[in-house]
Amino acid sequence: MKLQDEDVSLICGLYASKWHLATMLIPLISKKIEEGEIITTILEETIEDEIKQLLQKINITKEEKTKIQNIGWVKSEKISEEQINVKDKKINVIITGNKENIDKNNKNLLKLLNKNIIKNKYVNIINLYEIEQINDINEILKKYDYIINTSGIHPKEEIYPNESNKEAKIS
């Protein structure tokens, strides 16, 4: 998606539990931090304990673990301009929760982008839906080109090959 001069990628994923969410995010976040990208969150539920416990079990440097822990894994209502107003770095905004919350946060974030309040031109918006709260996966998938799961970010057709036929199923 292009908004004025900004490149915005919309990515979605589904999670079954807070542990599943943490397991899915850690490899992606580790890679993004290594690439010098910024990570920020808007979380419906705190996952700080799950992140800390998972970090104890994986083999990454102490510095990486500290950076991941310091991202902010506590429940939050919205994002501040300061969190995303970083020049010349790619920003990854992780938003979790139900469809209404995610839609509201996306709208607010895109409004900031459209007003040119954010100086950064490259933003990944990663929307992670709690699977139990989704009635129609097709309604969600229509909005996205990419899917995140425990193996990373993929074009949606790789994960849901029938999506083009509007027959995607949660598996």
Side-chain angles (χ1 to χ4, degrees):
M1 171 190 299
K2 263 214 183 267
L3 297 173
Q4 296 172 9
D5 293 328
E6 293 88 9
D7 286 323
V8 178
S9 296
L10 290 173
I11 303 161
C12 78
L14 302 168
Y15 65 96
S17 68
K18 292 195 290 185
W19 278 105
H20 181 233
L21 179 61
T23 302
M24 180 172 35
L25 288 174
I26 292 293
L28 173 73
I29 290 167
S30 183
K31 179 182 174 189
K32 297 292 185 184
I33 287 173
E34 189 177 294
E35 294 171 352
E37 296 181 18
I38 304 295
I39 312 288
T40 191
T41 62
I42 305 172
L43 304 175
E44 192 170 73
E45 292 183 283
T46 296
I47 60 169
E48 191 171 41
D49 290 339
E50 288 80 3
I51 294 290
K52 284 180 183 176
Q53 288 180 40
L54 191 56
L55 286 174
Q56 291 175 0
K57 298 176 183 186
I58 62 173
N59 189 20
I60 59 175
T61 68
K62 186 175 180 176
E63 182 182 340
E64 284 178 288
K65 288 180 183 183
T66 301
K67 286 180 181 180
I68 292 171
Q69 283 180 319
N70 290 337
I71 287 172
W73 300 108
V74 295
K75 180 179 178 175
S76 55
E77 297 286 323
K78 63 181 181 176
I79 201 163
S80 70
E81 280 183 39
E82 294 79 34
Q83 289 174 285
I84 53 175
N85 204 357
V86 180
K87 192 174 181 177
D88 299 329
K89 285 195 176 199
K90 191 167 207 168
I91 296 175
N92 299 273
V93 181
I94 298 168
I95 304 172
T96 67
N98 64 42
K99 183 182 177 311
E100 292 76 27
N101 242 7
I102 288 173
D103 288 347
K104 177 186 81 172
N105 283 306
N106 283 340
K107 185 177 179 180
N108 291 337
L109 191 53
L110 293 172
K111 191 185 299 182
L112 289 175
L113 287 170
N114 280 324
K115 288 182 177 180
N116 280 328
I117 291 172
I118 299 172
K119 294 176 185 136
N120 193 290
K121 295 184 182 256
Y122 305 100
V123 180
N124 286 329
I125 301 173
I126 304 169
N127 294 318
L128 298 161
Y129 297 86
E130 189 173 4
I131 199 165
E132 288 182 13
Q133 296 182 16
I134 300 300
N135 295 325
D136 183 2
I137 187 67
N138 292 310
E139 180 185 342
I140 302 293
L141 290 175
K142 286 178 195 176
K143 301 176 189 177
Y144 300 92
D145 293 321
Y146 299 96
I147 303 282
I148 181 175
N149 61 22
T150 52
S151 67
I153 295 175
H154 309 277
K156 97 175 140 183
E157 292 77 21
E158 282 183 19
I159 307 300
Y160 296 103
N162 295 327
E163 168 52 15
S164 59
N165 297 330
K166 305 296 179 232
E167 296 175 13
K169 303 245 186 293
I170 297 175
S171 51

